[in-house]
Amino acid sequence: MLSRRDIFKYLAGGGVGVGTGLLLGEVNQRPLETLLSTHIPPEDFSPGMDTWYNTLCRMCPAGCGISVRVREGRAKKIEGNPGHPVNRGGTCALGQASLNALYNPDRLRSPMRSDGEGGFVESSWDEALEAIAPRLGAMQSAGMGGRTWILTGGSLSSGEEALDKFGEALGANILRLGLDTPATELAAAKAIYGFNGLPHYDIGSADLVVSFGADFLGAWRSPVGYSKAYGEFRQGGDGHRGYLVQVEPRMSLTGVNADEWLPARPGTEGALALALAAELLGRSGPDAAPAGWEDLPGALSLDEAAALADLPAERLHALAERLASAKTPLVLGGGAAGAGANATETLTCVAALNRVLGAAGTTVRPNLAHAPRYSALSEIEEFVAGAANGEVSLVIVAGVDPLHDLPDSLGLRGALDRAELVVALDSFPSDTASAADWILATDTFFETWDDDISLPGTGKLSVTLQQPVQKRLYDTLSVTDIVLRLAQRSGGALAEALPHEDAEAYTRSEWATAWTNLGIQDDFDAGFRQVQQQGVWVADLAEGMADQFSAEAAAPAAPSEPQFAGDASEYPFVLHPFQTPGLREGKGARLPWIQELPDPQTSVAYGSWVEVNPATADGLDLRDGDVVEVSSQAGTVTAPVLRYPGVRPDVIAMPLGQGHQANGRYAQGRGVNPASLLAARGDDITGALAWAATRVALRKTGERVRMTKTSGVSRTLGRQILGPADEH
């Protein structure tokens, strides 16, 4: 997989035309005097006057650009940057609530040292760095850097690049962790499209969208950007309103907005896509697909696929007709469809359907914003085994919370307990940070320098600059600053690899290097000031990218039968964890605005719930609010039932994001964490965590609670409040 450095090397090699023109031509500009960096207060600082700064939102991986209103030196309000190509002036609830992180009363205000009894005491940066750097220096001198593990996320930022350089110089191991990673989607794109990266899906140009599990209006990839495109899709530039079909076992926010919802049996999405591809290929002939695709081996007929997925055959035939008659169709795959044991096979079949439809190069285009390689389960198992054997001296956890976000069945908690020293870099006492020996308090993204390459892209390469909009509130440092200070104190190869004074100097150095490598002739200082003003640097990828699709992709094989952890006789339901737009995997739980934000489909706030189909609930004598025990081979949680008709009878759905053991007063002890139920099961091809491949059982406890909801019930309860009885 290409790294951040590889992307800029590709650009420098002439892969696409680049320059600074897009900074002026396509990005919104605000008055220059209001967009200077505030690490030194602006000269025109005036009480009661607004100053706006364009920067990067880091609340999710989408890479949206935001404009922050600052008054009296304090950030007051978030708006979307209208000139940013990803979100085009929009923001989501999580972005709007991000100021809750900056001013949160539970933010860490200085380095913290474990007292050895489950608590922490305040420390200083000198004491903290002196406790860690000599250990790093000794391991470096002894050639034992491999006893260090760095646990981080998967962004393409300068900050992540600094961690990479740190790890390379030390010889450390790096684990890139996350629950819902794009590993299976990347593998499918490589197999069918022939390029390394996530495709750009042009929803706005499509007249028919079929989504297999991708909740692009809710929490999948870039919901703000996709929502903008969805508006264009529905408006129909040629006067034709786009048609949306959602295929998934639990009705998501995208499913609610769809024209059709097809509740397919979990794990059968690939068989459906391949059956549709074979049907359409039979109608249009082999010229509609790459060479060698005259036959799709193992493809089921539409009737057979419908029976496998437990769908009415006539609805699948009708969908085939719609696809055949569409002018600009688009098929998406993601969410639970990309998180089963056969996930890569499933998404490969979805991508193959796009190629048969002729979508490759029209509504599906290459995207240079390549995602980094996330760690497979085998790499996590290597770390856990090394810790068990006493081979892990130091663990650095940078900005991730794997003890909450990932399944307990992976054994990460035990591995951290066995490591000699655990250092967490975090702004909050997260579940993982609370298990560390040291917590090095980090800045929020409002207080420091960084950048990111937007994911999943818009057909343009968007590098968004993160700049401080106000001074630090507390005695904190950015992750990059901490890495730089540790490198300098450790000396040797670490100091040589990272000689920069601070995060600002490092970020500017990264941009200056890219500027030179790209052959941009404009003055760098002037160009960088433009980027600060406008918040983003953009390169159009349309030219030179048309030939990125492979003409020799192998025809996809039929996906294997879906497999789930747990015997169906003992665990009769498939667990469907899902992200809500606010909580996501758990980052939003520490924000009070997000906790009180009702779920858009159920209107539940402040907790967790178990969605059960009414027919299933009737069979188990369950009403709304009945507390049930949900158990799997990996664990057990208890939560109240919510009867939800938008979930299959053989599926149990639970929202992610709650169930924190720490993470501040707003998150701690609220709700339950369904990730603790997940088995340590991986995708058969990539080894990525198959978080949609666990079976569970339900048991009524006899307890009952009243859930916090902003709505009543969806039934009239016998009252004729809608008109005469024969009208409804």
Side-chain angles (χ1 to χ4, degrees), residues 166-521:
F166 185 90
E168 290 172 7
L170 182 61
N173 307 281
I174 298 180
L175 284 181
R176 301 191 181 280
L177 303 176
L179 181 70
D180 185 17
T181 73
T184 56
E185 189 181 354
L186 286 164
K190 177 63 176 176
I192 298 300
Y193 302 135
F195 54 80
N196 292 311
L198 295 175
H200 164 50
Y201 300 113
D202 192 356
I203 294 173
S205 297
D207 61 355
L208 171 64
V209 172
V210 180
S211 171
F212 290 89
D215 182 20
F216 60 86
L217 296 180
W220 185 71
R221 301 289 180 259
S222 183
V224 177
Y226 287 142
S227 294
K228 291 280 187 179
Y230 175 76
E232 298 166 356
F233 163 75
R234 285 303 202 185
Q235 291 168 2
D238 59 355
H240 177 75
R241 182 178 185 271
Y243 195 88
L244 173 61
V245 180
Q246 188 76 4
V247 184
E248 58 191 358
R250 183 256 176 193
M251 182 181 284
S252 64
L253 187 59
T254 306
V256 170
N257 286 276
D259 298 282
E260 290 187 56
W261 175 60
L262 300 180
R265 180 179 286 126
T268 64
E269 298 90 347
L272 288 172
L274 192 64
L276 288 166
E279 172 71 16
L280 297 172
L281 190 60
R283 297 185 186 190
S284 58
D287 292 340
W293 285 37
E294 292 80 6
D295 182 35
L296 296 179
L300 302 177
S301 68
L302 293 182
D303 289 344
E304 291 170 332
L308 178 67
D310 191 27
L311 294 173
E314 59 270 19
R315 297 192 68 181
L316 199 57
H317 282 276
L319 178 56
E321 293 296 330
R322 284 193 177 276
L323 286 167
S325 60
K327 296 179 180 178
T328 53
L330 170 64
V331 184
L332 305 174
N342 63 352
T344 298
E345 297 171 321
T346 294
L347 297 188
T348 298
C349 292
V350 171
L353 178 55
N354 269 325
R355 294 218 68 165
V356 170
L357 289 167
T362 55
T363 53
V364 179
R365 295 200 294 274
N367 173 23
L368 195 60
H370 303 279
R373 187 182 67 85
Y374 280 83
S375 298
L377 287 186
S378 59
E379 296 171 84
I380 299 175
E381 291 167 356
E382 181 184 352
F383 165 62
V384 172
N389 294 330
E391 299 169 355
V392 177
S393 297
L394 174 63
V395 179
I396 299 174
V397 185
V400 292
D401 190 8
L403 293 191
H404 173 270
D405 298 348
L406 296 179
D408 295 341
S409 56
L410 296 178
L412 288 170
R413 185 175 297 276
L416 294 181
D417 288 342
R418 296 183 185 96
E420 295 177 16
L421 182 67
V422 178
V423 179
L425 282 56
D426 209 320
S427 300
F428 286 82
S430 67
D431 290 16
T432 306
S434 297
D437 300 294
W438 281 91
I439 310 177
L440 305 187
T442 58
D443 300 329
T444 65
F445 63 83
F446 297 103
E447 301 165 299
T448 191
W449 294 87
D450 203 351
D451 56 42
D452 202 6
I453 297 176
S454 298
L455 183 74
T458 58
K460 299 175 181 178
L461 175 63
S462 308
V463 187
T464 309
L465 180 66
Q466 174 188 312
Q467 59 180 321
V469 304
Q470 66 169 63
K471 288 186 175 181
R472 290 180 171 117
L473 288 178
Y474 308 117
D475 186 19
T476 58
L477 292 173
S478 70
V479 171
T480 302
D481 281 315
I482 294 169
V483 168
L484 294 175
R485 293 193 184 191
L486 285 173
Q488 290 303 307
R489 289 198 179 216
S490 301
L494 283 170
E496 293 176 6
L498 295 165
H500 312 86
E501 180 181 357
D502 55 24
E504 179 182 4
Y506 177 79
T507 303
R508 286 182 63 93
S509 173
E510 288 287 289
W511 280 73
T513 300
W515 211 262
T516 300
N517 291 341
L518 293 172
I520 299 175
Q521 300 301 315

Side-chain angles (χ1 to χ4, degrees), residues 5-61:
R5 280 172 280 183
D6 294 327
I7 292 171
F8 288 111
K9 287 178 183 177
Y10 176 84
L11 287 169
V16 296
V18 297
T20 58
L22 281 171
L23 287 172
L24 296 175
E26 295 199 20
V27 182
N28 181 65
Q29 299 184 59
R30 296 183 184 272
L32 176 63
E33 65 271 13
T34 66
L35 289 169
L36 298 174
S37 173
T38 58
H39 66 292
I40 299 176
E43 294 180 1
D44 60 347
F45 175 88
S46 300
M49 299 293 291
D50 290 345
T51 307
W52 290 85
Y53 299 90
N54 287 331
T55 187
L56 169 69
C57 179
R58 301 306 292 263
M59 297 306 293
C60 83

Side-chain angles (χ1 to χ4, degrees), residues 51-110:
T51 307
W52 290 85
Y53 299 90
N54 287 331
T55 187
L56 169 69
C57 179
R58 301 306 292 263
M59 297 306 293
C60 83
C64 293
I66 56 174
S67 297
V68 183
R69 179 167 65 88
V70 177
R71 181 175 287 193
E72 285 90 41
R74 291 289 182 265
K76 300 291 186 180
K77 185 69 172 70
I78 306 296
E79 298 293 351
N81 181 349
H84 198 284
V86 172
N87 54 310
R88 292 182 282 173
T91 57
C92 67
L94 195 54
Q96 285 288 338
S98 58
L99 287 175
N100 284 181
L102 175 64
Y103 299 120
N104 197 296
D106 297 317
R107 262 193 73 186
L108 298 173
R109 305 187 178 199
S110 67

Side-chain angles (χ1 to χ4, degrees), residues 620-662:
L620 297 173
D621 189 27
L622 295 174
R623 298 177 296 162
D624 284 355
D626 284 344
V627 177
V628 293
E629 180 183 87
V630 186
S631 59
S632 71
Q633 290 180 330
T636 300
V637 299
T638 57
V641 163
L642 181 71
R643 295 164 63 101
Y644 182 56
V647 64
R648 284 180 53 89
D650 55 354
V651 171
I652 297 300
M654 295 186 70
L656 293 161
Q658 301 279 28
H660 291 265
Q661 298 179 19

